[in-house]
Amino acid sequence: GENVEQHPSTLSVQEGDSAVIKCTYSDSASNYFPWYKQELGKGPQLIIDIRSNVGEKKDQRIAVTLNKTAKHFSLHITETQPEDSAVYFCAASKTGGSYIPTFGRGTSLIVHP
Amino acid sequence: EAQVTQNPRYLITVTGKKLTVTCSQNMNHEYMSWYRQDPGLGLRQIYYSMNVEVTDKGDVPEGYKVSRKEKRNFPLILESPSPNQTSLYFCASSFIGQGDSPLHFGNGTRLTVT
């Protein structure tokens, strides 16, 4: 089955710095890669996703890049703010297959004011 | 408002006392799933359902039961809870479609078994 590795497990940055979280996947058939943000006391929420026919996607201060050859994808957050502090999860799944998404173990991002 | 609703938010119980955590979604999603979240282990899937009366085991199903009698509801049942089931539980749902629909999560149920 699919295996998703996520690094780092914790990331501490100063406000205004950039943050990068990386994930690798094992199943070359995976073609949908969502990212979720989990704030304290809440469930994970989708913040951005990318499909395998696209190499990069941006939404204001966040962006996701995908390298299908290397089987890795990354979340980039620019100009970090304290409200970006949360746990971030990457996931991978494949359309037309079993559908079940596989999650990374999560990254705890701390943005210091 | 589109949402996944879990109840209760917090639950403290004793070993062996049967309990049910409810989950309901108002988005007409076919797919529903239960996860448990433990420190350092991320989200682990317990059970999932692709539609009414269709359920299957996830990665950590031991000690849990589910049912899907209606499309909107997917309760998680612990027949005889044990302390190792102390965890944070999340219900999630989505459309199946082409398999590229994001999950919608509830706000979690924190369970403590003493």
Side-chain angles (χ1 to χ4, degrees), chain B residues 32-71:
Chain B
M32 297 188 75
S33 182
W34 277 101
Y35 292 87
R36 61 178 288 174
Q37 184 177 17
D38 301 289
L41 299 178
L43 294 164
R44 294 184 293 168
Q45 189 176 50
I46 303 170
Y47 268 95
Y48 65 94
S49 169
M50 301 294 268
N51 214 324
V52 175
E53 302 291 2
V54 180
T55 63
D56 210 343
K57 296 177 181 178
D59 299 320
V60 289
E62 294 78 18
Y64 305 94
K65 284 176 57 177
V66 293
S67 68
R68 188 91 181 272
K69 293 186 171 63
E70 306 165 283
K71 197 171 186 179

Side-chain angles (χ1 to χ4, degrees), chain B residues 1 10-11 17 24 28 101 103 107 113:
Chain B
E1 179 188 354
Y10 301 92
L11 182 57
K17 186 175 181 182
S24 180
N28 202 35
S101 296
L103 288 169
N107 279 330
V113 184

Side-chain angles (χ1 to χ4, degrees), chain A residues 43-106:
Chain A
Q45 281 194 302
L46 178 78
I47 53 171
I48 195 167
D49 56 10
I50 191 167
R51 290 163 179 79
S52 60
N53 58 347
V54 175
E56 182 176 1
K57 184 176 179 181
K58 288 184 180 179
D59 183 2
Q60 299 183 346
R61 295 186 298 105
I62 62 173
V64 57
T65 58
L66 172 65
N67 182 326
K68 286 192 295 182
T69 303
K71 290 189 282 189
H72 69 69
F73 56 112
S74 300
L75 178 71
H76 304 254
I77 306 173
T78 59
E79 300 173 21
T80 54
Q81 302 167 3
E83 51 265 40
D84 294 328
S85 296
V87 178
Y88 292 81
F89 291 97
C90 64
S93 63
K94 50 190 174 187
T95 59
S98 68
Y99 173 72
I100 312 304
T102 300
F103 284 88
R105 291 193 173 190

Side-chain angles (χ1 to χ4, degrees), chain B residues 36 62-64 78 80-87 89 111-113:
Chain B
R36 61 178 288 174
E62 294 78 18
Y64 305 94
L78 285 72
S80 183
S82 62
N84 65 9
Q85 293 179 299
T86 292
S87 186
Y89 291 86
L111 172 65
T112 302
V113 184

